[in-house]
Amino acid sequence: MLELKMFINGEWKPAKSDQMNIVINPATQEVIANAPRASKEETEEAIEAAQAAFVSGVWSGLTTHDRAQYLNKIADKIEERYDELVELEVMDNGKLKAEAEFDVADAATCFRYYAGLILAPEGETYQVPENVQALVVREPVGVAGLIVPWNFPLLMSVWKIAPALAAGNTIVYKPAEATPISAMKLVEIIEEVGIPKGVMNLVMGKGSIVGQTIAESKDVDVVSFTGSTEVGREIMKAASGNLKKISLELGGKSPNIIFADADFETAVDYALFGIFFGAGQVCSSGSRVLVEESIYDQFVERYVERAKQIKVGPGMAEDSQVGAIASEQQMNAILNYIEIGQQEGATLALGGNRLMTNGLDKGFFIEPTVFTNVTSNMRIVQEEIFGPVVTIQKFKDEAEAIQLANDTDFGLAGAVFSGDGAKALRVIKRVRAGITWVNSYHPTYVEAPWGGYKQSGIGRSLGKYGLEDFQEIKQININLDVHPVGWFPN
Ligand code: NAP
Ligand code: MG
């Protein structure tokens, strides 16, 4: 069993309170770690350390080359500890080993990417109608408060930590209570490469205490949050106190539009992958499949036949294809939605149950679940379930496909499957979402911006946009003709 510690001002610390967070493996319910629960005061101590480190310039004052070297060393160490990180992430979150392997590899890639990007040419110069040289430069924002969820514990953290460090900020970082283990391992790595004291601070504990303190602190200059839309709203309110910069990566209810002229087997396959990858606990999941009328029955039949064969099981078992639900609370929330769907009159075409046989009874596992005969006003079509539950809806034509796709408060992701390139592009351009695919679902790359329209968030992670979240923009005007301005007569 692991005894987790926090990292504040360069020191590993237990919490002052003896109230611990018991961390369990959701595939077995075994206790795997004890994590500290910080108070408001301990969180403030970490914020103060980050602020002092920022003001001192120990990090922002380094050359970008030096900061890039640290980031590359972090990437090397993530790769050295690849197997350990994969195993811990599976134990903590319940995901498949193959999924965790992607996460750990992508984490290293992300550090390398920002190590490179920070060395790229930046800034601008302007011709202005005076004898003045105008420059635009980028600077770090200051203290970055980073709050992450439990579905991609390591990767979501790295999407924030890598650009925040690259840009020269100092950090206060809070992982989710459900999955704090890889957070501590990552911060161990960051300590090992020798990042100066106070630059990286890790605080564990409840969102309502630690997260809230970070979001409302006058000494935090930017808060970057990934999580639910509901908590995102709270973060935005809390951030208004000192008008800190905010970046919100929130929930989704993403449409996956399948036209009759799509490659049928490809569309079925990606529509399965779109929702059952990560047991549907993925913000960009294609949870609403929209299928053209003429192939609807055939599609549903084939989809259910394929979904039936999916093997649900523990993440480390080689033959598992869908892993555990990350927590009992999340499992119950999903099962509740399945009940709501039935009460609303949708047809349960497959699944709907917790899996308790073949050794799965100790863990939190749910069958791949498919609802048909749904209408847009149903809660299972409107609300984010965040589990292995999909709705399949019928549309008549292009116009109706677009209308149904956009009939949601969310706008995170979406896809179109069609053999007609012009139609696919026409439709995807009309989908009000930030992350989209044509004839594909899910793959995404560190180079490209990640984030949502509408109530799926504000700002973009990854790419140059992810760096900008952690940068201020300054104009510098240099007078090339130094004499009195002459506004007031002399
Ligand atoms: P959540 O309940 O919103 O929690 C996210 C994080 O916020 C956790 O660390 C949580 O702490 C903390 N938190 C809770 N209440 C808070 C408050 N009042 N102030 C500050 N922080 C607070 O979300 P979740 O259930 O962990 O994650 C699932 C959600 O994340 C889904 O909606 C999903 O779509 C979204 N998500 C979005 C993206 C994206 O890129 N758009 C990626 C992944 C996930 P504790 O839980 O430790 O108390
Ligand atoms: Mg856990």
Side-chain angles (χ1 to χ4, degrees):
M1 208 185 45
L2 297 160
E3 292 296 332
L4 303 186
K5 291 213 167 95
M6 306 193 286
F7 192 65
I8 300 174
N9 205 17
E11 279 175 49
W12 289 101
K13 292 191 171 175
K16 290 189 180 124
S17 146
D18 52 11
Q19 264 199 32
M20 301 297 274
N21 165 31
I22 312 292
V23 184
I24 62 161
N25 177 342
T28 60
Q29 292 196 58
E30 272 167 304
V31 176
I32 51 175
N34 271 322
R37 280 197 157 137
S39 63
K40 185 172 173 59
E41 291 68 35
E42 288 163 288
T43 310
E44 283 166 348
E45 198 186 311
I47 295 170
E48 247 170 69
Q51 205 199 17
F54 183 72
V55 170
S56 77
V58 279
W59 185 244
S60 61
L62 294 184
T63 65
T64 46
H65 273 91
D66 286 343
R67 289 207 301 270
Q69 269 195 351
Y70 280 110
L71 265 62
N72 280 321
K73 282 187 199 157
I74 294 170
D76 292 343
K77 287 201 177 273
I78 288 174
E79 280 166 353
E80 280 164 28
R81 292 172 69 172
Y82 181 84
D83 292 335
E84 176 200 356
L85 289 168
V86 166
E87 197 172 330
L88 288 172
E89 199 75 333
V90 171
M91 256 171 48
D92 201 3
N93 166 276
K95 63 174 64 198
L96 291 187
K97 181 164 175 261
E99 292 166 356
E101 285 170 350
F102 267 112
D103 295 355
V104 177
D106 282 356
T109 302
C110 188
F111 274 105
R112 290 226 165 81
Y113 174 77
Y114 282 108
L117 191 67
I118 200 66
L119 299 181
E122 62 163 35
E124 293 148 46
T125 64
Y126 290 103
Q127 304 297 329
V128 292
E130 296 283 351
N131 197 5
V132 163
Q133 180 66 59
L135 311 175
V136 175
V137 298
R138 304 268 169 167
E139 296 183 346
V141 183
V143 175
L146 313 180
I147 303 171
V148 302
W150 43 258
N151 61 339
F152 290 83
L154 179 70
L155 193 59
M156 291 301 115
S157 305
V158 169
W159 283 12
K160 300 182 190 307
I161 293 171
L165 286 179
N169 300 269
T170 60
I171 291 174
V172 180
Y173 158 45
K174 185 202 114 55
E177 281 219 299
T179 55
I181 297 176
S182 56
M184 180 169 151
K185 296 293 152 187
L186 178 62
V187 175
E188 274 174 18
I189 288 173
I190 291 173
E191 182 196 20
E192 274 169 37
V193 306
I195 293 222
K197 190 175 99 146
V199 172
M200 181 76 218
N201 299 278
L202 165 66
V203 188
M204 294 179 189
K206 290 185 181 171
S208 56
I209 297 169
V210 176
Q212 183 73 24
T213 303
I214 292 172
E216 67 192 15
S217 170
K218 298 252 184 305
D219 297 323
V220 171
D221 303 292
V222 49
V223 63
S224 176
F225 169 80
T226 300
S228 61
T229 293
E230 190 190 350
V231 175
R233 251 187 271 284
E234 294 307 311
I235 301 275
M236 197 164 171
K237 275 186 216 153
S240 72
N242 69 334
L243 295 173
K244 60 174 65 67
K245 255 183 107 152
I246 50 174
S247 154
L248 304 174
E249 300 285 346
L250 310 176
K253 191 75 182 176
S254 300
N256 191 355
I257 304 168
I258 294 162
F259 284 99
D261 60 8
D263 184 282
F264 185 78
E265 287 300 325
T266 300
V268 170
D269 196 57
Y270 272 107
L272 292 164
F273 185 60
I275 183 66
F276 299 124
F277 170 77
Q281 302 165 107
V282 179
C283 53
S284 52
S285 285
S287 50
R288 289 186 298 134
V289 175
L290 308 175
V291 182
E292 193 166 354
E293 210 168 43
S294 60
I295 59 161
Y296 182 82
D297 292 339
Q298 183 198 356
F299 183 93
V300 168
E301 190 187 333
R302 179 71 177 135
Y303 191 89
V304 167
E305 177 187 305
R306 292 260 338 251
K308 232 182 238 171
Q309 293 163 25
I310 293 174
K311 180 145 187 340
V312 179
M316 290 307 281
E318 289 298 335
D319 62 344
S320 295
Q321 296 166 345
V322 166
I325 304 303
S327 68
E328 184 167 21
Q329 191 192 351
Q330 184 61 20
M331 178 184 69
N332 289 334
I334 297 165
L335 292 171
N336 187 44
Y337 269 115
I338 294 171
E339 216 173 289
I340 290 170
Q342 289 169 282
Q343 283 163 10
E344 286 178 315
T347 304
L348 185 60
L350 182 72
N353 302 300
R354 177 178 181 180
L355 285 165
M356 300 287 279
T357 53
N358 299 325
L360 300 184
D361 57 310
K362 296 231 159 43
F364 312 132
F365 295 93
I366 295 182
E367 294 176 285
T369 296
V370 180
F371 278 110
T372 56
N373 289 320
V374 297
T375 52
S376 288
N377 60 348
M378 290 180 179
R379 286 183 62 191
I380 56 163
V381 177
Q382 288 299 329
E383 297 175 24
E384 184 182 47
I385 298 174
F386 220 56
V389 182
V390 69
T391 60
I392 311 185
Q393 229 169 323
K394 201 184 283 186
F395 67 82
K396 277 196 300 292
D397 54 17
E398 206 175 305
E400 192 182 27
I402 294 164
Q403 185 268 319
L404 291 174
N406 290 331
D407 188 8
T408 165
D409 290 338
F410 296 108
L412 191 60
V416 174
F417 286 79
S418 169
D420 175 343
K423 177 163 72 180
L425 184 57
R426 202 159 60 224
V427 173
I428 207 69
K429 285 181 77 176
R430 297 280 305 276
V431 173
R432 303 276 302 151
I435 307 156
T436 64
W437 295 274
V438 171
N439 292 324
S440 176
Y441 209 100
H442 273 328
T444 176
Y445 310 93
V446 68
E447 291 82 357
W450 179 274
Y453 288 19
K454 295 156 80 177
Q455 295 189 33
S456 289
I458 298 176
R460 294 291 181 272
S461 297
L462 299 181
K464 64 176 181 170
Y465 308 92
L467 189 63
E468 285 169 1
D469 272 355
F470 296 104
Q471 289 179 317
E472 286 286 10
I473 300 169
K474 175 181 280 179
Q475 59 162 307
I476 304 174
N477 296 291
I478 305 163
N479 190 356
L480 303 178
D481 193 5
V482 183
H483 60 67
V485 62
W487 185 269
F488 301 107
N490 186 346

